[in-house]
Amino acid sequence: MLRTLLALALAIQPVFAADLPDLGEVSRQYFSDQEEQTLGRAIMRDVYADPRYLDDPEIETYLNQLGYKLVSVSTRNQREFNFFVVDDPSINAFAMPGGNIGVHTGLLLTAQSESELASVVGHEIAHVTQNHIARMIASQSQSQWPTMAALALALLAARSNPNVASAAIASTQAYSIQNQLNYSRDYEREADRLGYEMLTRGGYDPRGMSVFFNRLERANRFYDSSAPAYLRTHPLTTDRISDMQSRSETAPYQQVADSLDFQLVRARLRAQENSPADAVLAARNALKDKRYSSETAARYGLATALVRARQFKEAEAEVQKLLSGKPTHPMIQRLAAHTALAAGTSALALQRYQAGSEAHPGYRPLQYGHIEALLAAGRSQDALTRVDRQLALYPLDRRLWRLAAQTHAQLGHRLLSHRAQAEASALSGNLVAAIEQISLGIKVGDGSFHEMSAAEARRREWQEAEKSQRKN
């Protein structure tokens, strides 16, 4: 009977999307696809340069896996997305042009289940698939909008940290549009309904959304004027809460366990909080008092904190316990190899990276670490072989290009090193830096005829793109 009800629920879910408006091309009259991509790149350039951006491959990889699992079951899944993490304790997440979605560490740690986190991420995905920002821009006369750069700053400030948005925007033309950047209640309802559909189709607990909404609503009453940041960019109403509650009440009950990935990511974040000594103490106490949902994740958090505190002997002891479990999770294998490398046992580190890379060839954080370990051991040619192989698979990975730049520099390939660094800058949205880097490489001129020609062609391509950006 339960299977029948579940099949019926999945069969009728597409009806939810039928109630949504036909987007057509109206929103693109004032905000084209190309303009959105340009704006998205400008925003991410500022994100990557911001000290609050959390450059943690493991956490970012998990978030992208979660995000794309939801995207894959969306009725509008033709868009490309980029999920990133902001090191901020406030409870917030936000969608930006170009399919860029940011999640605060505060949300990752506050969500009491993976389904709650998925409900928020699904909601933000729906803001993108429904073109809400483009539709907000289309609702205004184009002449009312400031320059693309000012709009990028306004969007980033208003979405990522509403507490400082006014101060950040005050010095630009974008100050006048700050209030226009808040999502309307209609947009929020659209995002709720599509987010709920993704949640159920993705195999998460559909009650996650209403439970999270209720917690935010209670927090809003408690904090009064200083409500959680999420509420200041996503107006929450009793109608929205009631709508999600009524939907989840009619859904068949299913208990959904949190993934080990979710638990490990949260343990990793906690291990990075406060001082190294405090992080170790907190992790030890959690294990001692059995205050955890997963003992594996708790031990992973302790080992991570111990490495941070440079207590390598104790960290290795915890790593040995983690490695005894089968099969070994790629995050655990990365931690084991990193622990050995940090302790100065490079041979063991390379052995562990090799085993991890073979067991999980598609897990890029392991590949990053393996290349770094090869470079640290002076095995530049082996590092080049590995980084070239990875770039053939993932040519748009800015981290791989940065590692390629280091590898070529170690080998004395100056043009190729500058070229790789330029590619990394371009993928980070900074075309000016990309042009500067590749120009330095061309000036050095130590490449072959083919390499020089390719570099000059790439420079012309970026110069045209940068000129087009300046016109906007």
Side-chain angles (χ1 to χ4, degrees):
M1 181 64 178
L2 180 59
R3 290 181 180 177
T4 303
L5 289 172
L6 180 57
L8 180 61
L10 289 173
I12 65 175
Q13 281 169 1
V15 176
F16 298 161
D19 296 332
L20 298 171
D22 182 5
L23 301 183
E25 296 298 322
V26 176
S27 63
R28 292 308 183 192
Q29 292 179 5
Y30 298 110
F31 194 49
S32 68
D33 286 335
Q34 184 178 359
E35 286 175 323
E36 180 179 355
Q37 292 303 317
T38 299
L39 182 57
R41 285 192 294 269
I43 288 171
M44 292 312 298
R45 176 194 63 210
D46 292 337
V47 166
Y48 293 137
D50 193 309
R52 291 184 303 149
Y53 166 67
L54 185 62
D55 190 5
D56 188 304
E58 281 123 311
I59 298 175
E60 196 168 286
T61 295
Y62 163 73
L63 193 60
N64 274 273
Q65 288 172 342
L66 172 73
Y68 267 103
K69 181 179 179 181
L70 294 167
V71 170
S72 69
V73 295
S74 168
T75 55
R76 295 185 173 97
N77 56 12
Q78 295 79 24
R79 300 287 298 268
E80 289 188 4
F81 287 82
N82 172 47
F83 301 88
F84 62 94
V85 186
V86 177
D87 190 6
D88 191 307
S90 62
I91 305 170
N92 206 5
F94 53 97
M96 308 294 290
N100 297 303
I101 293 178
V103 173
H104 284 202
T105 53
L107 174 60
L108 285 162
L109 289 172
T110 302
Q112 294 185 8
S113 71
E114 192 169 28
S115 294
E116 287 189 24
L117 174 62
S119 75
V120 179
V121 175
H123 180 101
E124 298 307 320
I125 290 170
H127 278 311
V128 174
T129 61
Q130 289 300 105
N131 292 320
H132 284 161
I133 292 176
R135 288 159 69 184
M136 284 190 290
I137 293 176
S139 68
Q140 308 293 324
S141 168
Q142 189 179 28
S143 62
Q144 290 181 325
W145 293 100
T147 65
M148 195 70 79
L151 179 56
L153 177 61
L155 282 163
L156 181 58
R159 290 279 176 265
S160 63
N161 195 339
N163 290 320
V164 300
S166 297
I169 297 171
S171 61
T172 76
Q173 302 173 50
Y175 181 75
S176 63
I177 68 167
Q178 181 183 353
N179 291 333
Q180 299 172 29
L181 297 176
N182 290 331
Y183 292 125
S184 70
R185 292 182 179 181
D186 287 341
Y187 288 171
E188 288 299 289
R189 282 194 291 268
E190 279 185 9
D192 287 345
R193 296 170 76 179
L194 282 177
Y196 180 89
E197 184 178 335
M198 282 181 259
L199 199 65
T200 52
R201 286 184 173 184
Y204 295 101
D205 184 354
R207 291 164 180 78
M209 184 172 280
S210 59
V211 169
F212 182 75
F213 279 174
N214 273 311
R215 186 175 305 114
L216 283 185
E217 206 251 346
R218 288 195 299 272
N220 189 29
R221 293 175 186 169
F222 178 77
Y223 289 113
D224 194 21
S225 59
S226 58
Y230 194 75
L231 298 185
R232 292 195 287 282
T233 51
H234 300 72
L236 186 62
T237 64
T238 54
D239 287 344
R240 286 180 61 203
I241 295 175
S242 298
D243 185 29
M244 289 303 102
Q245 283 180 331
S246 63
R247 289 179 188 277
S248 60
E249 285 171 1
T250 58
Y253 176 75
Q254 54 177 332
Q255 189 172 9
V256 180
D258 295 332
S259 70
L260 179 57
D261 303 72
F262 175 70
Q263 300 287 4
L264 290 172
V265 161
R266 285 158 56 86
R268 183 174 179 82
L269 282 171
R270 291 193 188 98
Q272 295 171 3
E273 290 183 322
N274 304 316
S275 70
D278 288 341
V280 170
L281 180 62
R284 286 195 192 282
N285 288 338
L287 265 172
K288 178 184 175 183
D289 301 336
K290 296 187 177 181
R291 287 183 285 103
Y292 50 73
S293 300
S294 163
E295 183 179 349
T296 298
R299 291 201 178 280
Y300 173 89
L302 175 56
T304 303
L306 286 166
V307 171
R308 184 179 165 215
R310 303 191 64 79
Q311 298 178 32
F312 300 125
K313 184 177 179 180
E314 294 88 343
E316 179 62 28
E318 292 300 327
V319 162
Q320 291 292 340
K321 295 173 186 175
L322 289 167
L323 291 175
S324 65
K326 301 293 181 183
T328 306
H329 192 280
M331 283 182 68
I332 291 174
Q333 290 193 294
R334 168 78 192 265
L335 173 62
H338 174 68
T339 300
L341 190 64
T345 51
S346 58
L348 178 59
L350 285 169
Q351 180 185 334
R352 286 175 172 175
Y353 272 125
Q354 183 66 38
S357 298
E358 290 174 357
H360 306 280
Y363 189 68
R364 276 184 265 178
L366 268 171
Q367 300 296 338
Y368 303 147
H370 197 170
I371 296 164
E372 289 167 349
L374 288 168
L375 288 172
R379 293 170 55 180
S380 311
Q381 197 58 52
D382 290 336
L384 182 60
T385 300
R386 185 163 290 275
V387 78
D388 282 348
R389 189 184 305 140
Q390 289 299 306
L391 279 171
L393 296 171
Y394 311 108
L396 301 182
D397 189 323
R398 70 186 192 285
R399 291 188 177 96
L400 284 173
W401 280 112
R402 286 204 299 263
L403 288 168
Q406 295 173 35
T407 304
H408 283 298
Q410 200 170 94
L411 287 165
H413 304 159
R414 292 182 291 174
L415 168 61
L416 294 178
S417 179
H418 284 296
R419 163 76 189 272
Q421 185 56 54
E423 295 286 353
S425 295
L427 288 167
S428 299
N430 195 338
L431 289 179
V432 172
I435 294 166
E436 289 176 353
Q437 279 293 323
I438 205 162
S439 295
L440 286 171
I442 292 170
K443 186 176 181 180
V444 170
D446 68 339
S448 66
F449 174 79
H450 173 74
E451 290 166 349
M452 287 289 289
S453 298
E456 287 168 352
R458 201 70 167 128
R459 178 170 64 176
R460 287 193 296 272
E461 180 183 336
W462 287 331
Q463 286 171 334
E464 287 298 317
E466 198 273 330
K467 187 187 298 183
S468 177
Q469 279 189 12
R470 279 190 278 113
K471 286 180 181 178
N472 291 324

